[in-house]
């Protein structure tokens, strides 16, 4: 096995940098909305912060950098403090993925501005420039990846809270009680390729659509 090329090393470093930014923002968004709706559990636990160490699961972060699939420590939420538990849980859940989609747009716009002011054909020999472009491109893809992944309706992912809001009380409870099997289900979907089959087109389509809209394709 040969050594990694400079381009590959820069690509992995770019993913790592993006993860240091987007995972804390995603989790802090959950904590922020939860606190605004009356539950300060996450805030009291020190999760309303952009400090990566407060949110990172080491194995989950490594998987995201290497394989494009990963996870962070879940933000604690106590629905008993909400005035409208089902609705407020849904809003807290949506805060993370929606934040990722907004970040994807921000990374894309920044990439467009960098290329406009620093043309690739002039700066392409500079490693820092290549690293910056790789980071911005990774920011688009990773944010769409995290956003769509978390909307998958399998407990404990955020999408399950959204689906639960539209189910009758007993059905919603039984559905969310599947959480103890959720991680196993996700691993099975991952290793069988089913998860990639569903998420791949969503992520690539969203990224290409945004970059095309910005005139980058």
């Amino acid at each position: 096995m040969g050594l990694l090329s400079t381009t590959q090393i820069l690509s992995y470093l770019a993913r790592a940098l993006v993860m240091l930014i987007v995972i804390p923002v995603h989790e802090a968004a959950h904590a922020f909305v939860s606190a605004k709706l009356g539950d300060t559990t996450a805030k009291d636990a020190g999760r309303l912060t952009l400090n990566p160490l407060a949110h990172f699961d080491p194995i989950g972060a490594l998987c995201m950098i290497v394989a494009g699939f990963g996870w962070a420590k879940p933000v604690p939420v106590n629905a008993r403090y909400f005035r409208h538990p089902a609705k407020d849980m849904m809003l807290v859940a949506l805060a993370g993925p929606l934040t990722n989609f907004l970040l994807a747009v921000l990374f894309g716009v920044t990439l467009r501005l960098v290329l406009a002011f620093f043309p690739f054909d002039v700066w392409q020999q500079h490693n820092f420039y290549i690293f910056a472009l790789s980071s911005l491109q990774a920011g688009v893809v990773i944010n769409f990846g995290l956003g769509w992944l978390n909307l998958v309706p399998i407990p404990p992912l955020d999408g399950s809270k959204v689906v639960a809001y539209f189910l009758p009380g007993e059905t919603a409870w039984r559905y969310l009680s599947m959480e103890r099997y959720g991680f196993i289900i996700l691993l099975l979907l991952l290793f069988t390729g089913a998860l990639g089959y569903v998420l791949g087109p969503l992520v690539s389509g969203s990224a290409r659509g945004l970059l095309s809209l910005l005139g980058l394709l």
Side-chain angles (χ1 to χ4, degrees):
M1 182 181 296
L3 296 176
L4 292 175
S5 67
T6 300
T7 300
Q8 289 173 314
I9 293 173
L10 290 176
S11 177
Y12 283 121
L13 289 175
R15 290 187 190 182
L17 175 63
V18 171
M19 295 301 294
L20 284 171
I21 297 172
V22 304
I23 282 185
V25 175
H26 174 105
E27 301 301 333
H30 285 310
F32 176 79
V33 173
S34 182
K36 286 295 183 181
L37 293 174
D39 173 32
T40 61
T41 303
K43 180 180 179 181
D44 296 339
R47 300 298 298 279
L48 185 50
T49 176
L50 297 181
N51 179 1
L53 296 178
H55 304 289
F56 266 70
D57 178 289
I59 297 177
L62 181 62
C63 287
M64 178 58 76
I65 293 170
V66 175
F69 171 87
W71 55 90
K73 292 190 296 185
V75 169
V77 178
N78 191 334
R80 291 182 299 176
Y81 294 110
F82 294 144
R83 293 184 59 188
H84 310 286
K87 178 182 178 181
D88 292 348
M89 280 294 293
M90 178 188 68
L91 295 175
V92 171
L94 281 174
L98 292 181
T99 296
N100 284 126
F101 293 146
L102 290 174
L103 284 173
V105 173
L106 180 60
F107 273 94
V109 170
T110 304
L111 175 61
R112 183 69 183 90
L113 292 174
V114 168
L115 288 171
F117 288 100
F118 303 96
F120 180 78
D121 56 351
V122 176
W123 294 85
Q124 60 180 311
Q125 300 301 322
H126 297 262
N127 283 337
F128 180 78
Y129 179 76
I130 298 301
F131 175 71
L133 293 186
S134 296
S135 298
L136 293 171
Q137 291 173 329
V140 173
V141 175
I142 287 175
N143 273 294
F144 276 127
L146 284 173
W148 286 118
L149 171 64
N150 278 281
L151 286 177
V152 171
I154 298 175
L157 296 179
D158 298 328
S160 65
K161 312 300 191 303
V162 178
V163 171
Y165 173 69
F166 296 98
L167 297 176
E170 181 68 18
T171 304
W173 180 84
R174 291 182 179 276
Y175 168 59
L176 292 175
S177 69
M178 292 171 53
E179 180 171 337
R180 59 185 179 273
Y181 307 114
F183 188 68
I184 297 174
I185 294 172
L186 285 170
L187 286 179
L188 289 173
L189 292 175
L190 173 66
F191 288 114
T192 60
L195 191 62
Y197 182 80
V198 174
L199 291 181
L202 284 174
V203 176
S204 61
S206 299
R208 289 182 63 85
L210 174 62
L211 295 178
S212 178
L213 184 64
L214 293 171
L216 294 172
L217 289 179

